[in-house]
Amino acid sequence: MSSQKSKLVIVESPTKARKLKGYLGKDFIIEASVGHIRDLPSKKLGVDLENDFEPEYEVSPGKKKVLTQLKKAAKQSDVVYLAMDPDREGEAIAWHVKHLLDDKKLKFVRSTFNQITKDAVLKAINSPGEIIL
């Protein structure tokens, strides 16, 4: 039996995740972050004044289950494709997801596509960019 791990593709939307499952093979796990997964806290300042104003993020309400599922999928993978939308919000979501899943054993890459067609998705997955965070 092969010990090859799956490739994890994370998108923002569950609808997009379902669509990608039809385009990518059995070697891929497709999950959705369902939008933003963490944010600055709502009940305090959200920056560490003693530590060079380092932001203090917390998992957003209702996202603990999503994060648990993403972590479970990441454990089954060796590569994580952050395929959030190619806009400022998508970049922020990708940044947060990477920091929450960061594991020295995982390789993170960035894949973006402007349309949900088989050709566009496969092209993005087959030529991912580097993560510069």
Side-chain angles (χ1 to χ4, degrees), residues 25-93:
K26 63 181 175 15
D27 293 337
F28 289 88
I29 299 170
I30 320 300
E31 294 291 342
S33 70
V34 195
H36 288 278
I37 201 155
R38 73 177 184 171
D39 203 348
L40 295 169
S42 60
K43 298 188 190 284
K44 63 179 189 173
L45 182 59
V47 293
D48 184 350
L49 299 176
E50 304 296 321
N51 192 15
D52 209 22
F53 297 94
E54 185 72 27
E56 298 173 351
Y57 297 105
E58 60 185 29
V59 176
S60 299
K63 292 299 179 103
K64 287 183 173 45
K65 186 176 178 181
V66 172
L67 180 58
T68 298
Q69 183 60 34
L70 293 176
K71 286 182 177 184
K72 179 182 173 187
K75 285 182 181 177
Q76 301 171 40
S77 308
D78 52 8
V79 178
V80 177
Y81 293 81
L82 298 171
M84 288 71 175
D85 294 347
D87 57 19
R88 189 175 0 177
E89 187 175 18
E91 291 296 325
I93 294 169

